[in-house]
Amino acid sequence: DKTHSVEMVIDGQTVTVGTITYDNEKGKNVVITKYEGLATNHAVKIDSVFVHDNTEYTPTSIGDEAFRATAITGIELPSTITSIGRQAFAKCDSLTTIVIPASVKHIGKGAFAECTNLETVIFEEGSQLVSIDMQAFAECTALKNITIPEGVETIGTGAFYNCESITAIKTPSTLKSIDDGAFLGCAGLNTPGALDVSASVNIETKIENVAGEKVEIVCLGKHIFGGINKDYIVVPSDPESEMAKYVAAMTVAEETEQ
């Protein structure tokens, strides 16, 4: 594998660094919007600062579909990146490991979806991650190693859908909401103790209008743990916690769905 080191060229509001294209976000902050690299497997390094005509430019986010379906085997992201956009790395079939910088606060919809050879996701120590959007890691069927960091508040619909190779997950104490089917189809979690939600005792509720009346809704979606035997899930010690009640109320149909 070859890691690319490239020079920067500025063309109007677009900053092109070899095969990587950036757009100005605010002042000297830029968004990586497009990558056109080699057709063969290779690794990529993104520098934290680029200098042109004595001006420094800083990449702060990976834009929508920026690296989608490319042949990258790995990518080194700088500590300046704060968000990863929609389908930014989706269908990168050669990607096996990704290290998410501590600076990243948001992972967008389908950001790593269908990366079928992605085995390991590492969040740097001190992660500032707050949200994992819908389908962020959906269909990452080879994914085995991931630890959701403390600080994460929301996990979106189908975020880990059909990640069948994951054998252990512990949700953080900071978690406030999980949307529909977040862990649906995670067959590897269907063993005693593999799924530990015991720390997640801070699930929020919200008020919604239902048939003209205000109703309090718990921020736990449908079929979150579909396909997992509820007796195998490690729940909070307080049976009155929202998470404990949710798991206790799971039906046989939910426990056996695929």
Side-chain angles (χ1 to χ4, degrees):
D1 289 353
K2 180 180 179 183
T3 298
H4 293 265
S5 296
V6 289
E7 296 180 355
M8 184 177 73
V9 178
I10 296 179
D11 179 17
Q13 292 299 304
T14 300
V15 182
T16 301
V17 186
T19 52
I20 300 174
T21 302
Y22 300 76
D23 281 345
N24 286 87
E25 184 180 50
K26 291 182 179 179
K28 298 170 186 176
N29 291 340
V30 291
V31 180
I32 298 174
T33 56
K34 189 176 184 181
Y35 175 71
E36 296 181 273
L38 301 173
T40 53
N41 292 353
H42 58 285
V44 175
K45 178 181 179 181
I46 309 295
D47 292 325
S48 59
V49 174
F50 300 102
V51 179
H52 180 80
D53 286 345
N54 298 316
T55 300
E56 293 186 348
Y57 291 82
T58 301
T60 55
S61 60
I62 310 295
D64 295 346
E65 301 186 10
F67 290 85
R68 186 180 186 276
T70 56
I72 60 171
T73 57
I75 184 164
E76 186 176 337
L77 299 174
S79 60
T80 55
I81 299 294
T82 59
S83 67
I84 298 174
R86 174 178 54 81
Q87 293 202 342
F89 297 96
K91 296 189 176 183
C92 288
D93 293 337
S94 299
L95 186 64
T96 58
T97 301
I98 182 73
V99 178
I100 310 292
S103 54
V104 172
K105 298 178 180 179
H106 174 71
I107 297 176
K109 177 182 177 181
F112 296 94
E114 297 182 69
C115 289
T116 53
N117 288 299
L118 181 62
E119 294 186 2
T120 302
V121 176
I122 299 170
F123 294 96
E124 287 185 342
E125 187 176 352
S127 174
Q128 300 176 45
L129 188 65
V130 174
S131 60
I132 300 173
D133 210 342
M134 63 186 302
Q135 300 174 341
F137 295 95
E139 301 282 5
C140 289
T141 52
L143 183 59
K144 298 176 182 177
N145 306 301
I146 184 169
T147 300
I148 302 172
E150 282 291 319
V152 170
E153 297 180 358
T154 62
I155 297 176
T157 299
F160 295 94
Y161 170 71
N162 205 29
C163 290
E164 59 189 19
S165 298
I166 294 179
T167 56
I169 281 282
K170 183 174 183 178
T171 56
S173 65
T174 50
L175 195 59
K176 296 180 179 179
S177 68
I178 311 179
D179 289 336
D180 296 353
F183 297 97
L184 176 62
C186 293
L189 295 178
N190 195 30
T191 58
L195 176 59
D196 185 345
V197 298
S198 61
S200 298
V201 295
N202 296 304
I203 300 299
E204 293 187 338
T205 58
K206 58 185 177 181
I207 303 298
E208 291 187 353
N209 282 316
V210 178
E213 295 187 7
K214 291 184 177 180
V215 178
E216 186 177 58
I217 305 294
V218 178
C219 296
L220 291 171
K222 300 176 182 178
H223 310 284
I224 293 173
F225 308 124
I228 302 172
N229 186 322
K230 66 181 179 183
D231 292 333
Y232 292 166
I233 302 173
V234 182
V235 298
S237 57
D238 180 3
E240 294 304 310
S241 68
E242 297 296 352
M243 183 66 82
K245 289 190 291 185
Y246 179 91
V247 173
M250 286 175 61
T251 65
V252 173
E254 285 180 274
E255 294 178 88
T256 57
E257 70 181 317
Q258 302 298 317

